[in-house]
Amino acid sequence: VIGASEDRGKFGGRLIFNLLHHGFRGRVYPINPKRRTILGHKAYSDIRYVPAPPDVAVLAVPANDLLAALQGCVSSGVKVAVVITGQLAETGHEGTRIEEEAVAIARAADMRILGPNCLGALNTASSVCLSPSVTMSVERLHKGYVGVVSQSGALQTAMFMRAFDAGIGFSSAITLGNQADLELSDGFDYLVDDPETKAILLYI
């Protein structure tokens, strides 16, 4: 988690809290140059210093720091970068330039990007919650068979709240944001092949 924090008022704080809170069983590497530990896990100043190549990196950093963070992911062998960072193509010329360069960095290294400007994803069968959404900080996630792919993080948040209150669980919930690399069709293809998913909901 690049931009990890113990402050749940920040995106990086909610990201690592939600991941640990919902029982992720893999290794977690908080990246924060100002902290030695975060939520009981050793913190690293740079992703390049973690002891094993992470499969996934989740980035909650300012737009101006995004390209350097992605270069670090490439150097570390990350396969997928979940980019929460916003203020990119949706804001104008400079944001578009950063976003396009981010995609170029990823494609040159065969790394995929979910986002940017998204609220991440979750998979309840694997106890993986890579989302900074406040709504994901519930006591426990309902496991279920509905897979959701949503361009809009805000709309998915609303869907999650309504479903949670009704006792309906998701198999996976994926937000796409700007769809700079991975698109809604990629999420749909994943859910079609997912044995844990019996119904698919798309917000296009």
Side-chain angles (χ1 to χ4, degrees), residues 115-126:
N117 188 34
C118 73
L119 280 180
L122 66 86
N123 178 279
T124 56
S126 302

Side-chain angles (χ1 to χ4, degrees), residues 130-141:
L130 298 174
S131 174
S133 174
V134 175
T135 60
M136 301 300 171
S137 300
V138 293
E139 183 177 349
R140 65 179 182 85
L141 296 173

Side-chain angles (χ1 to χ4, degrees), residues 31-95:
I31 310 300
N32 184 326
K34 298 178 181 178
R35 298 294 302 270
R36 299 185 67 178
T37 62
I38 292 177
L39 298 180
H41 290 259
K42 180 180 177 180
Y44 297 84
S45 60
D46 191 290
I47 193 171
R48 294 176 179 91
Y49 301 142
V50 302
D55 296 313
V56 178
V58 195
L59 286 69
V61 298
N64 289 336
D65 297 333
L66 177 60
L67 299 180
L70 286 172
Q71 291 283 15
C73 292
V74 167
S75 298
S76 300
V78 169
K79 302 300 182 188
V80 178
V82 179
V83 182
I84 308 301
T85 302
Q87 301 296 304
L88 295 169
E90 73 277 12
T91 63
H93 176 74
E94 178 60 13

Side-chain angles (χ1 to χ4, degrees), residues 6 12 37 43 67 77 111 114 125 146 157 160 166 169 176 180 183 200 203:
E6 290 197 348
T37 62
L67 299 180
M111 181 175 72
L114 179 66
V146 180
T157 295
F160 175 84
L176 295 157
E183 300 177 331
I200 297 172
Y203 176 74

